[in-house]
Amino acid sequence: MNNTNIPESVFVKAAAEYGTPLWIYDRATIEQRIKEVQVFDHVRFAQKACPNLSVVALARKCGCVVDAVSAGEIVRALKAGFKGGIEKGKTPEIVYTADILDRDALELVKQYNIPVNVGSPDMIQQLADAGVKNELTIRVNPGFGHGHSRKTNTGGDLSKHGVWHEQIKDCIKLAQQNGMWITGLHMHIGSGTDFEHLAQVCDAIIDAARPFGSHLRTISAGGGLPIEYHEENKGTRIDLKKYYELWNNARNRIKETVGHDVALEVEPGRYLVAESGFLVAEIRAVKKQGNNTFYLVDAGFTDLVRPSFYGSYHQISVIARDGRPLTETVDAVVGGPLCESGDVFTQEEGGFVVTRKLPKAQVGDLLVLHDAGAYGAAMSSNYNSRRYAAEVMLSNGELKVVRERQTFEQMMQNDRVIDF
Ligand SMILES: Cc1ncc(COP(=O)(O)O)c(C=O)c1O
């Protein structure tokens, strides 16, 4: 039982045709999630969650604008059809949001006239020194944060993100001294599950908006809209209406302060793509270590790192390749192929390996990790010289390749053997 809208036969067909490990994205799910969030004036897709060009292009087709956090993401956004530049009265299609401007990014920001959402005061001077005199927006760290693990905390004095709230006035002054205006305020704190906390964030953005006066034209709620990863809680979704209402109230309060309309943006990654994605692996070994059963699969943390990195939970299902009914269950640990003890999909934060009740499987069966569309393929690596897996999209009932499996040659193409 895979507990999705996609029939098991599609997973079996995809694995047979494209091999494993394999990413599958469901186009309809992405379209549906984008539609849900489009109560906001602008939905800026945080492509870092899933930068596959087809996914970025789909977001564009559905009316999203896009966020870029690196030179590479600017290039991807352009390649997917987004345009650089700032047009009066229009929200920019691409915004560069980061805590630094590395030299690659600075060059592309300048070349394509990409507006910057600054996360450090130094970025303002660097833009001015490079002759970039665009309007800016500013990501503010309000002095407190939130996040699904300590590694994802987005604010407070131990977070590297954003301009410290007490430095806003200095940034406005620095921008003005250099002939630039700060026209937008951004707060990525990610408190979509905790409305009490979100109310605090909204109060903080109202406070932060005061020094901007009439120059302020946009506020952004950032990303952080959660999805439910545990299958037993799948019925409960974030109350998007309430989430929007809190932000809209903040926007209305800010409108009163600045004396004109203010656009309200949201910048989700996970919410738009997580549930669309599956990582399909093949079980290559079933073994006992003492009393514990291990399913070892051909995908590892080089493909999906979230369980190893954050102790994140992903729903797992097993599909019998030969179509036999899977009636018996077993408590199993699911591990990958890497030479790393931490290469285990069933672990909790802190690296504690746990078992999961799963159908009794045999070598050759498929094991599917659910809700893997966000920070899945995006965070893959070539560690252990493992190739990047192929990515396919289920679009109008058809499976289409959106990224070929990396070849061994491609993996080594930039290595050089020096003359010894
Ligand atoms: C500035 C910014 N915006 C948006 C996002 C997207 O967050 P999420 O995928 O949780 O919606 C992130 C994630 O790190 C971020 O740093």
Side-chain angles (χ1 to χ4, degrees):
M1 183 50 203
N2 75 47
N3 200 15
T4 76
N5 296 330
I6 304 178
E8 287 187 357
S9 57
V10 171
F11 290 95
V12 174
K13 181 170 181 274
E17 208 158 315
Y18 305 106
T20 53
L22 178 72
W23 299 97
I24 301 183
Y25 306 117
D26 179 37
R27 170 182 169 179
T29 304
I30 299 176
E31 289 173 335
Q32 168 64 25
R33 294 291 171 259
I34 291 175
K35 225 184 265 168
E36 287 166 16
V37 184
Q38 279 171 332
V39 279
F40 282 79
D41 299 343
H42 307 293
V43 178
R44 190 168 294 287
F45 174 45
Q47 63 169 301
K48 64 170 81 68
C50 189
N52 181 286
L53 278 181
S54 281
V55 174
V56 181
L58 177 62
R60 178 172 175 270
K61 182 173 183 294
C62 294
C64 294
V65 285
V66 74
D67 168 44
V69 299
S70 67
E73 285 196 357
I74 293 175
V75 174
R76 276 185 185 273
L78 293 166
K79 186 115 185 159
F82 289 102
K83 302 266 177 298
I86 303 173
E87 260 183 71
K88 215 173 163 52
K90 274 187 80 181
T91 196
E93 292 190 18
I94 307 171
V95 168
Y96 175 83
T97 296
D99 296 297
I100 65 154
L101 270 162
D102 61 31
R103 291 178 193 279
D104 280 352
L106 185 55
E107 194 161 317
L108 291 185
V109 158
K110 189 170 173 176
Q111 183 180 349
Y112 292 98
N113 195 23
I114 308 284
V116 174
N117 184 30
V118 298
S120 305
D122 286 319
M123 293 168 76
I124 301 175
Q125 195 60 55
Q126 287 161 357
L127 285 166
D129 293 347
V132 182
K133 298 271 163 156
N134 276 342
E135 291 174 4
L136 301 172
T137 59
I138 186 168
R139 175 178 178 178
V140 172
N141 177 337
F144 57 88
H146 209 265
H148 65 76
S149 93
R150 270 170 295 170
K151 289 180 186 162
T152 57
N153 195 1
T154 43
D157 61 3
L158 287 177
S159 163
K160 69 180 181 136
H161 296 303
V163 169
W164 189 246
H165 57 110
E166 289 163 342
Q167 290 185 335
I168 296 175
K169 283 187 187 151
D170 292 342
C171 287
I172 295 174
K173 204 161 132 199
L174 181 60
Q176 284 176 356
Q177 280 165 354
N178 286 289
M180 293 185 271
W181 296 107
I182 300 182
T183 59
L185 188 52
H186 175 286
M187 221 176 250
H188 171 76
I189 296 298
S191 17
T193 40
D194 177 349
F195 286 113
E196 229 172 274
H197 190 268
L198 182 59
Q200 258 178 287
V201 175
C202 289
D203 285 345
I205 204 164
I206 294 166
D207 273 352
R210 289 201 176 92
F212 291 87
S214 64
H215 297 291
L216 196 68
R217 290 207 304 271
T218 310
I219 60 165
S220 170
L225 281 169
I227 65 124
E228 191 46 72
Y229 283 94
H230 282 261
E231 54 266 45
E232 64 267 28
N233 301 333
K234 277 284 177 202
T236 54
R237 304 191 63 76
I238 177 192
D239 185 345
L240 266 181
K241 189 163 173 271
K242 192 161 173 197
Y243 181 85
Y244 173 75
E245 270 167 19
L246 279 165
W247 278 104
N248 192 37
N249 288 342
R251 177 248 293 272
N252 288 335
R253 295 270 305 280
I254 292 172
K255 260 163 74 173
E256 285 165 21
T257 319
V258 302
H260 56 74
D261 214 353
V262 171
L264 176 57
E265 273 195 21
V266 69
E267 200 172 77
R270 179 186 322 279
Y271 190 82
L272 304 189
V273 292
E275 293 153 296
S276 80
F278 302 84
L279 176 59
V280 185
E282 185 186 14
I283 298 176
R284 298 294 302 158
V286 177
K287 65 179 182 179
K288 280 268 193 196
Q289 307 284 59
N291 287 327
N292 289 320
T293 300
F294 277 70
Y295 291 166
L296 297 186
V297 299
D298 62 1
F301 74 57
T302 42
D303 302 290
L304 178 64
V305 78
R306 297 185 72 254
S308 301
F309 201 32
Y310 305 118
S312 302
Y313 183 97
H314 283 267
Q315 181 186 342
I316 294 174
S317 51
V318 174
I319 299 173
R321 278 267 188 125
D322 56 6
R324 71 187 189 286
L326 296 173
T327 44
E328 278 180 76
T329 58
V330 62
D331 291 325
V333 175
V334 179
L338 307 171
C339 290
E340 289 285 341
S341 338
D343 184 29
V344 167
F345 290 117
T346 48
Q347 62 178 292
E348 295 176 344
E349 195 172 359
F352 298 103
V353 171
V354 291
T355 58
R356 183 89 58 92
K357 196 173 277 313
L358 292 172
K360 194 166 177 199
Q362 63 190 40
V363 169
D365 288 340
L366 297 178
L367 185 138
V368 181
L369 290 136
H370 295 231
D371 305 313
Y375 308 103
M379 291 176 86
S380 300
S381 75
N382 280 140
Y383 182 54
N384 275 201
S385 287
R386 290 182 54 83
R387 304 183 280 166
Y388 290 125
E391 298 171 44
V392 297
M393 186 179 281
L394 184 62
S395 170
N396 298 329
E398 262 184 82
L399 288 167
K400 298 198 168 147
V401 175
V402 293
R403 191 183 201 209
E404 300 283 352
R405 189 175 305 281
Q406 190 180 36
T407 63
F408 293 116
E409 275 313 309
Q410 286 166 344
M411 185 177 67
M412 294 179 291
Q413 71 189 357
N414 290 333
D415 289 23
R416 298 288 176 269
V417 181
I418 59 169
D419 186 358
F420 295 107

